[in-house]
Amino acid sequence: MPRAVRERQMMDAAVQTFGQRGYRAASMDEIAELAGVSKPLVYLYLHSKEDLFSACIRREAQALVAAVRAGVDPELPADGQLWSGLRAFFTHTAENPDGWAVLHRQARSHGEPFISEVVVMRDEIVAFVTALIGAAAREAHRDPALADRDVAGLAQALVGAAESLAGWANDTSDVSAKEAAATLMNFAWAGLENLMHARPWQPPADVSRGSADDGTS
């Protein structure tokens, strides 16, 4: 069997084991047995348990980013692009629950160097979402500075919400990827659409502070 095929089998087994058992509980013996190879061969190909887990994080992160990018049609209007990106994100996490568990739960809970691997993925997705929303906002406003200033935080919030919602959806048997994407779209789009049309929400005036400043009670 070609080395690349054998290595992919080992990685598949490792993602399943790490995703379902957790990094600390998973053993190289389990991974080797699931892959149908000897434990020495796993060490020969993928070195230590730490190296194997890092490789799993990188592979699953690259697959998720690629799925989101491929899912967005740049010819669609802004809401269509966001919807298609969210559908791609939730479809991928639903179809690869062990990979998502590795990225969202295991990698984040075991410190370095694993967290850094996830940060690279998250930064890439945030940058992609920022560019997607920013392009629509610039088109609506004809004001690049406004888009850059206001969209960055929205992109961070949107990605964070998507990550949490994907974990919940995967743990809830009757929630489909389409339903999860629609939930987040309904939550986020009203605010994004208002921002793009220069209708940002403003906090109410602080009445108590105003009274104190005016010397009244």
Side-chain angles (χ1 to χ4, degrees):
M1 183 178 294
R3 179 187 176 105
V5 176
R6 179 70 77 189
E7 187 170 318
R8 184 170 64 249
Q9 287 181 335
M10 295 180 197
M11 292 282 288
D12 290 344
V15 168
Q16 181 178 334
T17 304
F18 287 134
Q20 295 180 11
R21 298 267 292 146
Y23 174 67
R24 296 198 185 283
S27 72
M28 298 294 267
D29 289 298
E30 289 178 284
I31 293 168
E33 182 177 357
L34 186 59
V37 301
S38 66
K39 185 165 72 170
L41 190 62
V42 177
Y43 280 109
L44 177 65
Y45 276 39
L46 298 162
H47 311 298
S48 67
K49 181 180 176 181
E50 180 179 302
D51 288 338
L52 176 55
F53 190 51
S54 293
C56 289
I57 296 169
R58 285 192 295 272
R59 190 188 78 164
E60 297 306 305
Q62 290 166 3
L64 176 58
V65 171
V68 172
R69 288 187 176 277
V72 175
D73 182 352
E75 300 300 320
L76 293 175
D79 61 334
Q81 291 188 46
L82 182 58
W83 169 244
S84 60
L86 290 175
R87 283 287 301 273
F89 176 86
F90 287 110
T91 297
H92 184 86
T93 56
E95 292 177 350
N96 300 274
D98 294 332
W100 181 241
V102 165
L103 292 174
H104 185 58
R105 293 177 178 168
Q106 298 303 321
R108 294 168 188 250
S109 60
H110 293 292
E112 296 293 353
F114 311 132
I115 291 177
S116 294
E117 298 282 359
V118 177
V119 167
V120 170
M121 173 205 72
R122 194 179 195 279
D123 286 348
E124 186 170 352
I125 292 179
V126 167
F128 180 66
V129 173
T130 300
L132 187 157
I133 300 172
R138 284 193 294 273
E139 182 178 346
H141 287 292
R142 306 291 191 267
D143 181 0
L146 176 65
D148 290 343
R149 183 176 63 246
D150 291 345
V151 167
L154 286 171
Q156 290 280 353
L158 184 63
V159 172
E163 291 172 338
S164 295
L165 191 57
W168 171 78
N170 280 2
D171 290 339
T172 307
S173 59
D174 59 345
V175 178
S176 68
K178 183 178 180 180
E179 289 170 329
T183 296
L184 188 53
M185 190 73 184
N186 285 322
F187 178 76
W189 183 248
L192 293 173
E193 187 177 32
N194 282 334
L195 175 65
M196 292 174 190
H197 291 87
R199 297 191 302 266
W201 180 84
Q202 298 291 342
D206 190 334
V207 177
S208 61
R209 177 173 294 180
S211 298
D213 291 343
D214 293 340
T216 60
S217 59

